[in-house]
Amino acid sequence: MGQSSHSDNLPGVSPFHRLHLLVNFHIGADPERLISAGRLVSALFAALAIYLDPTRPARSLNEAHLVLSAYVVFSLLLMLCPPRRPLAHPVHLLSHAVDVLALGTLVYLTDELDSPFFPFVPFILLATTMRWGMRGAVLGAIVMEGMMIAVGWRDLTDGDSELNLVIMRSAYFLVAAAMLGYFGAYRARSGQRFAQLASWSAAPVSMDERAWLHDLLDHASRLLGAPRLILTWQDRGDPVGRAALFGPEGLALLPLPDGTGRAGIAAILQSAGWAMPAPREMRSAPFVGTRNKGRLHVLDIRHGHEDDASLARITAQRIGDELERFALTHAIAESARDQERVRLARDLHDSVLQDLTAATLKLKAVAAGLPPAARGTLQAVSALMAAQQRRIRLFVEDGRKLAALRPLSASLSQNVNELCDQWGCDIGLTVTPPDMEATARVHRELAQLLSEATANAVRHGGATRLNVELSRIDHGLSLCIADNGCGMIVGESDDPPRPRSLRTRVEDMDGSLAITRYAPGLALRIEMPLPEMSEPGMPAS
């Protein structure tokens, strides 16, 4: 059975309406068919005009009939078998050359500047504009001006000058070319913007949030043609919003101020040291998602177009969708990591912890059979193994209760005491606020950071004293660790060395590590975004 068209499947549609839908689909969806249809309609109406009023061509009637008949056949062939080439392909120049030759000949044979075929000449301008945009409009206007002068030259020089017709029709062609050229350039510009929208690449899951925001806003800036953008958004579970400023100076991240509207934007720009643009140079568009909502502010708009507002709304919603996707992918990755920690905790409980327990019991049995003077070393080893057992048990319990909130001061104090006994050094600890709570993952990561920092300070720097300060900041934690060791030697490179193990662990948590002092003694500052933390008495966000 043959395949029916889409309009044949519509119940209650008349045959005339079905034909209308079919013509609209085939012609409106294909510019080449639209040009061919316009050519055929022009030729048929010209033939009808000669048929109804054969005396209008004052002279050369037979020649006009011959040229018009050939042009009708040419138009019909192109309508039935259009050339399947891109719109900008040079082969289409041949069809337009035939249009110019046929219409110019008809005008020349039929009263020249007073020819009834002159209204069909703008078809050339329309066709070239559809095919080549602004360049086509300019080319069509030049061709029509040249054709008008060529066919009307005899009228201009025979003593009965029709200069007013030349001037008026020249002005008409130029105005039409300018208007059509505008729409051609508008279509080309819209096509370029659609291509940029379609080329919006997705950020990988492992990408740093700051670098991801920079790439996201850089693409939006090029798409909108605006050098500066401000993105403000707020997660539904986060009472404090965020603001990202993008411009030639780079990307800046700031907490969202309390004010809204122009006053809030002014406060953000003032915090970043940016100048406030005039109201006519600003545009904003909101976006709303299942997880967050916000607004994209476009600054320094120089030449506004009628479609810029729609494009800004589309771009803002796309940015909102990207924020949702980025948060979702990180949540999925975090869930996968938590599941892996649960599996690892179970394996540790069933293997390493049991083995350590058995080894501790054997050491106690061996120590019981030795003289009291020889038991000291075995007891120290047994105590060290017992401390490791406690750490493993804590890890196992944390894996079973990943979302439970516990005070940081108590667990970190226990970690500090164990590190002091293990490395033979003094560690001062300060937690602000003292009753700050966090999940098991935060406890575990902080314990690992302290362990690695202490090991580096004692082994590589010969430190005997460390000062640890943990404080709550916007969107996370600040951990400052300073020691009295020999520090590090800094060369002339633009990227000074940083402890590799600490840097890798901090980057895995989407945090940042900075060395604030290299010598004497090493001092570093670690900042970590921890949205799952909460203040005392408040639920975790």
Side-chain angles (χ1 to χ4, degrees):
M1 296 179 62
Q3 184 178 3
S4 63
S5 65
H6 176 69
S7 61
D8 293 335
N9 298 327
L10 297 177
V13 179
S14 65
F16 176 78
H17 190 56
R18 289 180 179 178
L19 178 61
H20 177 70
L21 291 176
L22 186 63
V23 171
N24 280 346
F25 175 76
H26 284 292
I27 292 180
D30 188 351
E32 184 60 38
R33 286 188 177 272
L34 183 59
I35 293 175
S36 300
R39 180 185 291 110
L40 180 60
V41 169
S42 299
L44 291 177
F45 270 85
L48 179 63
I50 288 183
Y51 175 77
L52 295 177
D53 187 9
T55 61
R56 178 57 180 163
R59 55 186 173 78
S60 305
L61 181 59
N62 293 332
E63 291 83 349
H65 283 173
L66 180 62
V67 172
L68 186 56
S69 299
Y71 190 56
V72 169
V73 173
F74 172 74
S75 302
L76 185 60
L77 288 176
L78 287 186
M79 182 65 188
L80 296 176
C81 303
R84 292 305 178 188
R85 294 290 188 274
L87 288 178
H89 197 278
V91 73
H92 296 293
L93 285 173
L94 180 61
S95 63
H96 290 306
V98 174
D99 293 334
V100 173
L101 181 61
L103 293 177
T105 302
L106 288 173
V107 170
Y108 180 76
L109 294 175
T110 55
D111 290 346
E112 299 167 353
L113 293 178
D114 287 330
S115 171
F117 293 105
F118 240 115
F120 299 111
V121 174
F123 161 74
I124 301 173
L125 180 62
L126 291 169
T128 55
T129 302
M130 289 186 62
R131 197 178 300 280
W132 295 298
M134 176 64 82
R135 291 181 300 174
V138 174
L139 175 64
I142 293 174
V143 169
M144 285 191 297
E145 287 288 339
M147 183 183 65
M148 184 177 61
I149 294 175
V151 301
W153 184 256
R154 188 168 56 182
D155 278 351
L156 294 175
T157 57
D158 61 1
D160 188 13
S161 176
E162 299 182 7
L163 184 60
N164 57 340
L165 284 178
V166 176
I167 294 175
M168 294 302 297
R169 288 181 174 173
S170 297
Y172 167 74
F173 289 152
L174 292 177
V175 172
M179 296 178 65
L180 292 173
Y182 167 78
F183 286 107
Y186 176 82
R187 188 182 69 171
R189 180 170 174 266
S190 299
Q192 182 182 7
R193 286 183 162 183
F194 278 125
Q196 285 183 285
L197 277 173
S199 64
W200 208 309
S201 59
V205 178
S206 59
M207 191 173 186
D208 177 68
E209 183 187 21
R210 188 182 185 90
W212 171 76
L213 277 174
H214 183 278
D215 290 349
L216 183 71
L217 295 180
D218 178 63
H219 189 96
S221 173
R222 288 185 281 107
L223 176 63
L224 297 172
R228 296 193 299 170
L229 299 174
I230 298 179
L231 176 66
T232 59
W233 77 100
Q234 185 172 5
D235 191 282
R236 296 187 185 276
D238 186 5
V240 181
R242 303 177 68 187
L245 293 81
F246 176 82
E249 302 87 352
L251 178 70
L253 294 176
L254 300 172
L256 193 63
D258 296 333
T260 59
R262 185 172 174 83
I265 297 301
I268 294 175
L269 291 173
Q270 184 178 6
S271 301
W274 288 9
M276 184 72 179
R280 65 178 181 276
E281 298 177 351
M282 297 177 59
R283 180 180 289 112
S284 67
F287 61 88
V288 179
T290 58
R291 182 187 178 96
N292 52 50
K293 63 178 180 179
R295 184 174 287 271
L296 176 66
H297 303 268
V298 186
L299 309 182
D300 303 330
I301 300 174
R302 301 303 180 190
H303 306 286
H305 298 272
E306 64 274 10
D307 64 336
D308 285 348
S310 299
L311 184 63
R313 288 194 297 269
I314 295 173
T315 305
Q317 190 59 51
R318 180 58 190 269
I319 290 176
D321 294 341
E322 287 296 309
L323 288 171
E324 298 273 338
R325 188 190 65 83
F326 191 79
L328 179 60
T329 52
H330 275 259
I332 294 174
E334 183 63 29
S335 177
R337 284 195 292 265
D338 289 341
Q339 292 177 3
E340 181 64 20
R341 292 189 190 103
V342 172
R343 187 194 63 80
L344 180 60
R346 185 173 58 250
D347 292 345
L348 288 175
H349 179 271
D350 296 340
S351 59
V352 178
L353 185 59
Q354 302 299 337
D355 294 341
L356 285 176
T357 302
T360 302
L361 293 176
K362 290 183 179 180
L363 284 176
K364 289 182 178 180
V366 172
L370 295 176
R375 296 177 185 174
T377 303
L378 289 179
Q379 289 176 348
V381 174
S382 179
L384 181 59
M385 294 179 65
Q388 296 302 318
Q389 284 179 275
R390 288 193 298 270
R391 294 183 64 179
I392 293 177
R393 286 195 183 95
L394 180 61
F395 181 83
V396 171
E397 292 176 359
D398 291 344
R400 295 171 179 171
K401 301 178 182 179
L402 289 173
L405 292 176
R406 294 186 290 112
L408 281 169
S409 298
S411 64
L412 290 182
S413 298
Q414 182 178 354
N415 294 138
V416 165
N417 292 334
E418 294 174 357
L419 291 173
C420 290
D421 295 337
Q422 181 179 354
W423 295 102
C425 62
D426 295 330
I427 301 178
L429 175 66
T430 303
V431 178
T432 307
D435 53 353
M436 182 166 49
E437 295 180 336
T439 62
R441 175 174 177 261
V442 179
H443 285 258
R444 181 173 57 254
E445 297 295 347
L446 289 175
Q448 293 293 338
L449 289 173
L450 286 178
S451 177
E452 293 178 18
T454 304
N456 291 338
V458 175
R459 287 189 302 176
H460 304 299
T464 59
R465 172 73 183 179
L466 284 83
N467 291 321
V468 179
E469 296 179 0
L470 178 68
S471 58
R472 184 78 159 95
I473 59 174
D474 292 335
H475 313 298
L477 287 176
S478 172
L479 179 64
C480 297
I481 304 174
D483 62 64
N484 63 349
C486 62
M488 297 175 61
I489 299 176
V490 182
E492 298 180 355
S493 111
D494 295 334
D495 187 13
R498 288 174 294 174
R500 180 179 302 176
S501 58
L502 288 175
R503 181 186 62 196
T504 303
R505 183 173 291 277
V506 171
E507 289 176 353
D508 289 342
M509 295 183 292
D510 296 329
S512 62
L513 186 149
I515 306 296
T516 59
R517 186 182 72 238
Y518 285 91
L522 188 69
L524 53 89
R525 178 184 176 88
I526 298 172
E527 292 186 358
M528 298 177 293
L530 300 173
E532 72 271 22
M533 290 187 56
S534 67
E535 296 293 346
M538 296 179 60
S541 58

